[in-house]
Amino acid sequence: MNSVILAVLGVGMVLAGYFLYSQFLAKRVFKLQPKFKTPAHELSDGVDFVPTNKFVLWGHHFTSVAGAAPIVGPAVAVIWGWLPAFLWVTLGTVFFAGMHDFGAMWASVRNKGQSIGTLSGRYIGNRGRNLFLVVIFLLLLMVNAVFAVVISDLLVNQPTSVIPTWGAIVVALGIGQAIYRFKWNLPIVSLVGVVLLYALIMLGDRFPIELPETVMGLPAGAFWIVVLFIYAGIASLLPVWMLLQPRDYINGLQLFIALAILYVSILVSQPTVVAPAVNTALPEGTPSMVPLLFVTIACGAISGFHGIVSSGTSAKQLDKETDSRFVGYFGAVGEGLLALGTIIVVTAGYETLAAWQETYSAFNQGGIGAFVTAGGSVLNNGLGIPVQLSATILATMAVLFAATTMDTSVRLQRFVVAEVGQLMGFKLNTIVATVIVLTATAALAFGADPSGAGGMIIWPLFGTTNQIMAALTLAIITVMLIKRRRPYLPVLIPLLFVLTMTVYALFVQIGQFYAAGNWLLLVLDIVILVCALWVVVEAFAAMARAKNEPPEIDADVEAAEEEARVG
């Protein structure tokens, strides 16, 4: 099959979702109001609450939520064939992810920028909130530990990505000053920033930096992990306008250009998809596609982590409520395009079916390595970019996605730790909360493996925890819509599907972990399952109560609708 057909169909579907379905959500479900005073204005503090240009905020949001997961998940899941992965990514982006991210942002904006964890206390109850916070903490812990390992591995295995990875921080600091302190023209600043980033990629390709086997007594990978933790801690303490926001924005532009290069290469070279549509010759030990497909591909179809970002940082920077459609829904579209591109690359970037089967000789054999290798071949065949430079571009792309997600995740986990402290009756300052976050993450990364690879021991739980978080977020949005007497089926139906598949997957994993004697993952799985089911029961009880309670009224929405009727 010609890969161009998949690219055109997939891109057309997700763009149609933005131009058509998100309009329906904005007008009929969330009823966005351009005159509503957002938390960024009402609570402006110059640190976390900062009114932001919607294009800059989109860059921050897109790169924060994307991470490495929309590459890793699809690059693993195609072992079941390209068709199931393609359908889940495209339909998931349109009806699940876009609505979820958009809805979480709207819910937070309508509640003074409160995080989805705090909202669970208001709309589900204090007991549900406490259990909700447990799930959020575990998910963020996984994100921080796992992505640190992913980035470290790429820096070790692709030393040409070292200079652009760290050089991007310097570029971002300069862009932050140019936009906010000197008020320079945004398009010009953007152009200069993108040129500098690609110059760094060229420089890195010419001058790879390869660390010795041990640095300061640590293996090279472990050293990079320590540096990443220190950097992420510092970045989480700085005002968002200084580093986090401009870094995410300029990375978003650079990464979108890299996506464009990838898709243009596909259109020019038109590689044949050699992988089967549905793989009937699965390697021994490959788990069942249902339900594992729907948790293997989380980011790129629907991801609970996005709800934490939407409500934790992005909602606090929204200039106008109407911007949430572009920032939230189109942010999910960007990630869907990345996941779609990954599916095409890892199924069409091999010369023969035998070569593809050699890579996918066992479950979890795909991933970023397959994406960089196959993607390098596609870029080389399509645009004539040398294979090594192609690998540098794609490796840098993956590193920057993962790094910007880690930046945001550490900040978000600091918020969660501070919130837990308040519930326990004491206030933690930002430095103490950040130290607690980094200590917990380092304990996970290094506790099970002195090389730092211990963070990967909970990778099998990342997908299920992520999807449970998505279901819980959808439950809160559903309660809010019921209370406001708005259409709620566009949220409830995805909620029921995601919840069913994820709980099914958690039970499957319990059996696997027990059979393997993996007691740590078994205990964590049970804790997550119990907390999630408890919150779900509380949420459905809240939905039933909401139908019988007096409706919540958004005065500005009522006034706008009355004005429209009179007019």
Side-chain angles (χ1 to χ4, degrees), residues 468-499:
I468 277 292
M469 185 67 221
L472 300 183
T473 299
L474 293 176
I476 292 172
I477 298 170
T478 303
V479 174
M480 286 185 63
L481 292 173
I482 292 174
K483 281 180 171 290
R484 286 165 166 78
R485 304 300 187 259
R486 308 267 184 86
Y488 59 86
L489 288 181
V491 182
L492 181 61
I493 293 172
L495 158 62
L496 294 175
F497 180 84
V498 173
L499 182 64

